């Protein structure tokens, strides 16, 4: 590689590295959001309206908007989490001879649409009993720290007795408790206190212990650490939020991802349901198969951006649900509502507290000064003519009202960009195998640069052929990132997706792994950290002579030397173990004794040959070498010629 330090090429934008947040794999409740009680509002088993659950195939079906009703026109989605359990997360513990019944009832005592509460009927043998919650896969608390407890109870007329809130160890030792008197008058009552456990644990439980029989209703049981990231109320887990902030993201995108689109239009993320008092927010079963409380909502997102010093990017629904061509969508005359929602979202973030409606709501929610909102993306992965038509309406209205905001279309690098009237940035997404990333470090080289148009790679991850993510995938992402940096006159923003998972709810490949008392970065996180900790400001002119690089290393049945997908010919193999040459061959000496070849690979005329560009298979050292090289450094060199 020749580097000409005197010749500066494209600048690397300071906005280059940001984060993409979506409530997927329980990354909000059970992830970054600090709430400790799982299913606090008893709404976990709510399905989106209009959708039905089929117990035979364990799928949720969203109705198609149009009149077709045959099964192939129904959209089905992932197996819902514990949907047959009406009150997941909660159990009753009572004396063995006691009887009780539980049901989940509709209630509007807080005035929230689709709100539920737990109804309990306890016979005298079942008292005293405990209503227990184990948090998000174990309750994690720290000795001496303060936790705000809030809950609502309605005791039926005649109910006598009290309730004791308890934090318990896994062996039922009480490490914090507080008793409240209950009045049996059939009225909902609100209770709150601060709990201070005497023990640190990650396998604890929370319980409400009732000492009498009778009928009770319980709703919104919340246990929330006082200490949060920047000590915000209803805030974020300090360890997790800091770990994300350590990436020093230049921007943060919210709320996704496919959940922006929803299973149905009604099921889309509606930001207006995500603000205000947490117990008054209508949660939503999201298309990743569980219920989002919306506790980590639009306001918390804007606050988090401010606390991290990141620019905020809001993504709005563009008039179609996930897979809008076959799924639910809005007609022309319904789209106006969504455009107004998007304009209101901008006003909520940036409007004056005294003179604008949504600015005033923001002030009431605790932030009189405007936040900043630099970017708005219209739609997510919608690539249709309908999208282009609707997008143009959003674009016109947003541009007129907010000339300075950066408007992003979700269209990829394609001719479809010519269908739309204008955009500042477009947003291609990439999910692929390591080999794809290695062979596409020049992906952006070929696209024309147009005045005023930049690219935001909103989602990328090596998530194929790498299990739940591994070093091989992470390295290939590093190669791709270098290609984006090198093309930073076009690509000025990137974000890995998905950002985070609760490890007990694992699906796919995520950057950060969260448990109830721990957070770690996968190899991809550390690759990204390497880039964000060492941000260049400019590219230098380089001249590279490319060797033949491994596309994929797959040790199978021996020691893998690599899957080289490039058409090439290899000769003169030298193998050293701990620096000592143990084998040297021009391959005329029966190479098959040492090397095994699979797939397209051939051992021919004294050479190892991969005849095909994008070929399959791999070459490896035979098994008998395994003992000889165990715990040693083995190096293999060869002469390579591209065919
Ligand atoms: O990152 C996970 C999902 O992948 C996102 O929600 C979606 O935009 C993409 O298809």
């Amino acid at each position: 590689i020749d580097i000409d330090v005197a010749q500066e090429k494209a600048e690397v934008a300071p906005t280059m590295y940001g984060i993409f947040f979506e409530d997927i794999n329980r990354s909000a409740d059970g992830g970054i959001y600090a709430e400790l009680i799982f299913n606090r509002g008893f709404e976990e088993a709510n399905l989106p309206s209009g959708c039905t659950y089929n117990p035979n195939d364990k799928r949720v079906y969203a109705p198609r908007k149009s009149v077709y009703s045959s099964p192939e026109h129904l959209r089905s989605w992932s197996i819902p989490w514990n949907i047959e359990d009406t009150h997941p997360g909660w159990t009753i513990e009572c004396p063995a001879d006691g009887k009780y019944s539980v049901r989940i009832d509709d209630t509007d005592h807080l005035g929230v649409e689709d709100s539920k509460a737990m109804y309990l009927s306890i016979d005298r043998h079942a008292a005293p009993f405990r209503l227990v919650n184990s948090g998000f896969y174990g309750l994690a608390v720290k000795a001496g720290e303060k936790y705000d407890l809030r809950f609502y109870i309605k005791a039926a007329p005649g109910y006598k007795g009290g309730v004791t809130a308890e934090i318990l160890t896994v062996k039922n030792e009480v490490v914090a408790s507080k008793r409240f008197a209950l009045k049996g008058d059939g009225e909902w009552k609100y209770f709150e206190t601060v709990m201070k456990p005497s023990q640190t644990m990650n396998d604890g439980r929370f319980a409400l212990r009732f000492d009498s029989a009778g009928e009770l209703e319980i709703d919104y049981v919340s246990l929330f650490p006082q200490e949060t990231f920047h000590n915000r109320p209803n805030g974020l887990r300090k360890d997790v939020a800091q770990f994300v902030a350590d990436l020093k993201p230049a921007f943060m995108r919210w709320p996704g991802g496919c959940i922006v689109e929803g299973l149905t239009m009604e099921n889309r993320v509606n930001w207006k349901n995500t603000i205000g008092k947490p117990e008054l927010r209508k949660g939503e079963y999201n298309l990743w198969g569980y219920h989002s409380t919306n506790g980590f909502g639009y306001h918390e997102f804007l606050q988090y951006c401010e606390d991290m010093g990141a620019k905020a990017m809001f993504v709005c629904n563009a008039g179609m649900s996930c897979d809008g061509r076959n799924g639910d969508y809005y007609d022309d005359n319904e789209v106006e509502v969504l455009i107004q929602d998007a304009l209101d979202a901008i006003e909520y973030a940036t409007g004056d507290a005294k003179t604008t409606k949504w600015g005033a709501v923001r002030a009431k929610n605790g932030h009189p000064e405007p936040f900043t909102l630099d970017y708005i993306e219209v739609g997510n992965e919608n690539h249709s003519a309908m999208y282009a038509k609707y997008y143009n309406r959003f674009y016109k209205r947003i541009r007129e009202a907010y000339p300075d905001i950066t408007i992003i279309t979700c269209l990829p690098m394609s001719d479809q960009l010519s269908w739309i009237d204008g955009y500042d940035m477009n947003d291609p997404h990439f999910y692929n195998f390591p080999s794809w990333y290695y062979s596409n470090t020049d992906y952006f080289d070929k696209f024309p640069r147009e005045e005023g148009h930049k690219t935001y790679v909103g989602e990328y991850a090596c998530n194929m052929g790498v299990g739940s993510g591994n070093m091989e995938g992470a390295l290939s992402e590093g190669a791709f990132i270098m290609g984006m940096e090198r093309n930073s006159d076009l690509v000025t923003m990137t974000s890995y997706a998905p950002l985070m998972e609760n490890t007990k709810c694992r699906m796919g490949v995520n950057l950060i792994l969260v448990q109830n008392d721990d957070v770690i970065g996968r190899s991809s996180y550390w690759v990204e950290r390497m880039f964000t900790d060492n941000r260049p400001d400019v590219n230098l002119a380089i001249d590279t002579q490319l060797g033949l690089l491994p596309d994929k290393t797959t040790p199978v049945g021996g020691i893998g030397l690599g899957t080289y997908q490039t058409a090439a010919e290899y000769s003169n193999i030298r193998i050293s173990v701990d620096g000592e040459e143990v084998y040297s061959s021009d391959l005329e000496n029966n190479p098959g004794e040492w090397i095994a070849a699979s797939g397209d690979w051939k051992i021919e005329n004294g050479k190892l040959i991969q005849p095909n560009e994008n070929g399959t298979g791999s070459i490896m050292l035979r098994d008998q070498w395994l003992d000889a090289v165990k715990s040693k450094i083995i190096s293999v060199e060869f002469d390579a010629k591209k065919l």
Side-chain angles (χ1 to χ4, degrees):
I1 303 173
D2 290 323
I3 303 170
D4 183 348
V5 291
Q7 222 195 110
E8 294 194 352
K9 307 284 264 193
E11 284 183 9
V12 179
T15 49
M16 190 67 167
Y17 299 105
I19 52 172
F20 157 100
F21 185 90
E22 175 168 28
D23 190 354
I24 178 171
N25 301 328
R26 295 204 186 268
S27 57
D29 306 289
I32 199 167
Y33 183 51
E35 175 62 78
L36 294 178
I37 302 294
F38 171 57
N39 192 13
R40 67 182 176 190
F42 302 95
E43 276 107 27
E44 182 67 33
N46 277 11
L47 283 186
S49 76
C51 296
T52 48
Y53 173 61
N54 179 344
N56 298 324
D57 65 2
K58 294 191 183 302
R59 282 178 175 274
V60 172
Y61 285 88
R64 197 186 137 101
K65 180 174 183 138
S66 56
V67 291
Y68 301 114
S69 59
S70 61
E72 65 270 28
H73 293 294
L74 295 171
R75 305 302 303 161
S76 64
W77 218 269
S78 52
I79 299 166
W81 191 89
N82 231 352
I83 203 75
E84 274 139 6
D85 180 357
T86 56
H87 49 281
W90 295 94
T91 50
I92 309 282
E93 291 175 5
C94 69
D97 52 348
K99 287 199 175 55
Y100 64 85
S101 64
V102 179
R103 63 170 195 262
I104 297 299
D105 270 356
D106 292 332
T107 172
D108 61 356
H109 74 103
L110 293 169
V112 183
E113 196 188 331
D114 286 344
S115 174
K116 302 278 190 263
M118 176 181 256
Y119 168 86
L120 271 170
S121 173
I122 309 290
D123 85 2
R124 66 192 169 85
H125 302 292
F129 73 97
R130 280 184 170 129
L131 173 63
V132 180
N133 189 284
S134 301
F136 289 91
Y137 319 104
L139 192 81
V141 288
K142 289 197 186 130
E145 291 206 354
K146 292 184 181 157
Y147 297 85
D148 289 325
L149 173 68
R150 302 183 173 91
F151 60 97
Y152 292 82
I153 291 187
K154 178 165 91 172
Y159 184 89
K160 290 194 183 63
V163 58
T164 308
E166 300 174 324
I167 297 179
L168 306 167
T169 67
V170 71
K171 293 184 187 145
N172 273 353
E173 295 145 333
V174 179
V175 297
S177 77
K178 169 84 185 170
R179 188 180 156 79
F180 303 86
L182 286 179
K183 199 166 163 204
D185 59 2
E187 298 288 330
W188 280 102
K189 301 268 163 41
Y190 172 68
F191 299 90
E192 63 179 18
T193 190
V194 175
M195 302 196 79
K196 215 168 149 188
S198 57
Q199 208 169 302
T200 297
M201 56 194 168
N202 66 4
D203 55 357
R205 292 133 49 83
F206 170 80
L208 290 174
R209 187 162 61 80
F210 296 88
D211 25 49
S212 307
E215 288 172 53
L216 296 151
E217 277 192 77
I218 298 137
D219 196 8
Y220 192 79
V221 184
S222 167
L223 186 66
F224 214 94
Q226 284 190 354
E227 205 179 319
T228 57
F229 186 69
H230 284 238
N231 286 328
R232 302 290 172 200
N234 190 46
L236 308 179
R237 253 177 69 173
K238 216 174 157 183
D239 56 343
V240 179
Q242 185 57 55
F243 198 72
V244 172
D246 289 345
L247 285 168
K248 298 178 209 77
F251 65 90
M252 175 173 176
R253 164 171 155 197
W254 181 94
C258 292
I259 70 169
V260 168
E261 304 160 82
L263 273 169
T264 63
M265 282 306 291
E266 204 181 320
N267 181 243
R268 74 191 187 277
V269 175
N270 180 344
W271 72 268
K272 289 174 183 164
N273 289 338
T274 76
I275 55 169
K277 282 179 118 185
E279 62 265 51
L280 301 185
R281 298 181 190 181
K282 177 183 179 293
E284 195 69 37
Y285 174 94
N286 72 37
L287 55 61
W288 301 115
Y290 59 90
H291 180 83
S292 298
T293 64
N294 284 332
F296 177 43
Y298 188 46
H299 190 97
E300 288 77 21
F301 148 67
L302 293 166
Q303 184 64 67
Y304 187 31
C305 288
E306 187 176 271
D307 290 342
M308 287 193 294
K311 292 170 189 279
M313 180 192 298
F314 173 69
V315 188
C316 66
N317 183 295
M320 55 219 73
S321 63
C322 211
D323 194 4
R325 281 157 302 165
N326 304 310
D328 188 16
Y329 55 87
Y330 273 1
D331 289 325
D332 273 338
N333 58 357
E334 296 169 297
V335 172
E336 176 58 28
V337 176
L338 302 174
I339 297 174
Q340 193 55 52
D341 268 354
L343 293 170
D344 292 347
I346 304 174
E347 187 176 288
Y348 182 92
T350 63
D352 180 75
K354 295 216 168 67
T355 56
T356 66
K357 174 180 166 191
W358 289 102
V361 178
R362 182 198 64 240
K364 196 166 140 247
N365 289 340
H367 202 285
E369 289 307 313
F371 289 111
T372 49
L373 181 72
D374 289 80
Y375 308 93
I376 182 157
E377 177 156 353
V378 180
N380 177 68
E381 292 186 348
N382 311 123
H383 305 154
S384 61
M386 180 195 275
Y387 169 77
K389 186 167 74 162
Y390 290 174
Y391 167 88
N392 285 338
R393 291 173 57 187
F394 279 86
Y395 179 76
K396 183 167 183 296
R397 296 280 300 287
I398 297 171
R399 182 52 85 232
E400 275 166 14
Y402 297 98
D404 295 331
I405 201 164
T406 299
I407 303 177
I408 304 173
T409 166
C410 64
L411 290 175
M413 319 299 286
S414 81
D415 293 346
Q416 290 172 333
L417 286 166
S418 64
W419 298 355
I420 58 176
D421 293 341
Y423 65 99
D424 298 316
M425 304 188 82
N426 72 316
D427 174 11
H429 294 174
F430 302 93
Y431 293 107
N432 224 309
F433 290 94
S435 53
W436 188 89
Y437 288 103
Y438 280 126
S439 31
N440 279 281
T441 58
D442 58 355
Y443 181 88
F444 293 100
D445 293 14
K446 52 184 178 285
F447 293 103
R449 276 48 174 164
E450 284 172 36
E451 191 60 32
H453 293 169
K454 301 284 182 203
T455 290
Y456 157 48
V457 177
E459 297 183 30
Y460 71 90
C462 177
N463 66 353
M464 297 181 190
V466 293
S468 338
N470 62 20
M471 182 68 93
E472 182 187 20
L475 289 176
S476 73
E477 285 155 11
F480 188 63
I481 292 172
M482 290 201 285
M484 294 194 278
E485 263 190 6
R486 201 167 37 74
N487 278 284
S488 58
D489 53 331
L490 176 67
V491 181
T492 56
M493 296 169 76
T494 65
S495 47
Y496 186 101
L499 178 68
M500 195 184 296
E501 66 173 44
N502 182 305
T503 57
K504 298 287 192 317
C505 198
R506 194 148 205 202
M507 182 174 81
V509 177
N510 299 272
L511 197 65
I512 295 173
L513 314 184
V514 178
Q515 293 190 336
N516 62 2
D517 65 343
D518 201 10
V519 51
I520 63 163
R522 219 175 37 67
S523 43
S524 294
Y525 174 91
W526 295 106
V527 163
E528 181 143 351
R529 267 291 281 276
M530 202 165 66
F531 283 93
T532 60
D533 281 350
N534 301 284
R535 287 169 202 242
D537 38 32
V538 71
N539 280 286
L540 297 175
I542 55 167
D543 181 24
T544 314
Q545 299 292 321
L546 277 183
L548 296 173
L549 296 174
D551 292 305
K552 194 167 189 291
T553 307
T554 319
V556 194
I559 298 178
L561 302 181
T563 299
Y564 297 69
Q565 292 183 314
T566 315
E569 182 176 278
Y570 299 82
S571 58
N572 192 15
I573 292 202
R574 283 100 57 198
I575 302 169
S576 314
V577 176
D578 274 352
E580 201 177 312
E581 191 164 287
V582 295
Y583 178 71
S584 166
S585 166
D586 59 5
L587 290 171
E588 269 151 18
N589 306 323
N590 189 15
E593 202 179 302
W594 302 93
I595 310 275
S598 71
D600 294 349
W601 283 89
K602 285 188 263 189
I603 301 175
E604 220 175 69
N605 301 328
K607 297 194 167 70
L608 270 171
I609 299 171
Q610 164 57 280
N612 299 324
E613 199 67 31
N614 294 318
T616 63
S618 58
I619 50 174
M620 61 197 92
L621 286 187
R622 283 200 177 279
D623 284 355
Q624 61 261 37
W625 276 85
L626 285 177
D627 276 345
V629 300
K630 210 180 259 170
S631 307
K632 305 217 171 103
I633 297 172
I634 176 162
S635 72
V636 181
E637 293 170 72
F638 40 67
D639 297 340
K641 199 171 105 197
K642 196 167 173 9
L643 294 178

